[in-house]
Amino acid sequence: SGRTDSSGGHHDYKNKSGLGSYHYHHGMGPHLHPGGVCPYSAPAPVYKPKPAPQPTPKPVKVFVNDKQLYLNTAPIIESGTTLVPLRPIMESMGATIGWDQSTKTVIAVKGNIEVILPIGSTKPTINGVVKSINVPGKIVNGTTLVPVRFIGDAFGAEVKWDDAARTITINM
């Protein structure tokens, strides 16, 4: 007698059942099987908890000079850096945007400030001075995304991030 194991059987060391030291029950009465494997026994189910569903983060909102921008492509957060669609942000800041297709480089100009940001590069320039950024600009679904803090700082804007509200505020 004893409890059944994961194969549905158990040891009966005193042979009280008369079936030998190892046998099966599982609703069919005590019985034996050739090779010690019961075809009616299923292994004990293995409990695998489902991972807790992750809440979908709220979309990132962008305000420039207290005016909310409604963007066709949502900002993304990558390695702690928020990337925003270049054109609507830069134009709302008063910059002129250029694109060099052959080098996949963005050229943004406002007043006497020129920013050159090659897509995929962590070494853009501001007025010819190389600046390092952690996450490079990229193209996602045909939209150029760039690090918001870099472009804000490049043109002298104050950039704030409100994590609870998931809001970027850029003030010129």
Side-chain angles (χ1 to χ4, degrees), residues 3 5 23-24 28 32-33 59 64 77 79 86 136-137 140 144 152 159 163 166:
R3 297 174 189 242
D5 61 20
H23 62 271
Y24 300 88
M28 301 188 73
L32 293 173
H33 293 282
V64 176
I77 299 173
S79 301
L86 172 80
V140 176
T144 303
V159 178
D163 193 46
R166 293 182 58 83

Side-chain angles (χ1 to χ4, degrees), residues 19-32:
L19 297 173
S21 67
Y22 189 84
H23 62 271
Y24 300 88
H25 287 270
H26 56 71
M28 301 188 73
H31 60 280
L32 293 173

Side-chain angles (χ1 to χ4, degrees), residues 4-38:
T4 58
D5 61 20
S6 64
S7 298
H10 71 105
H11 287 280
D12 178 6
Y13 293 109
K14 295 182 182 176
N15 197 20
K16 288 182 182 178
S17 66
L19 297 173
S21 67
Y22 189 84
H23 62 271
Y24 300 88
H25 287 270
H26 56 71
M28 301 188 73
H31 60 280
L32 293 173
H33 293 282
V37 177
C38 178

Side-chain angles (χ1 to χ4, degrees), residues 42-131:
V46 177
Y47 174 70
K48 292 183 182 176
K50 291 183 179 179
Q54 297 298 316
T56 303
K58 295 187 303 186
V60 174
K61 294 179 184 175
V62 179
F63 290 83
V64 176
N65 296 326
D66 300 321
K67 182 177 179 182
Q68 184 172 357
L69 299 183
Y70 295 94
L71 306 168
N72 290 332
T73 300
I76 61 172
I77 299 173
E78 186 175 296
S79 301
T81 297
T82 304
L83 300 167
V84 295
L86 172 80
R87 186 166 300 279
I89 304 292
M90 296 301 285
E91 288 177 350
S92 68
M93 292 173 61
T96 303
I97 309 301
W99 172 253
D100 183 335
Q101 179 62 34
S102 65
T103 61
K104 296 205 180 323
T105 299
V106 172
I107 300 103
V109 178
K110 180 180 177 190
N112 62 353
I113 300 171
E114 180 185 63
V115 174
I116 298 177
L117 196 148
I119 298 302
S121 172
T122 57
K123 303 288 184 194
T125 63
I126 301 172
N127 289 340
V129 178
V130 174
K131 302 289 183 180

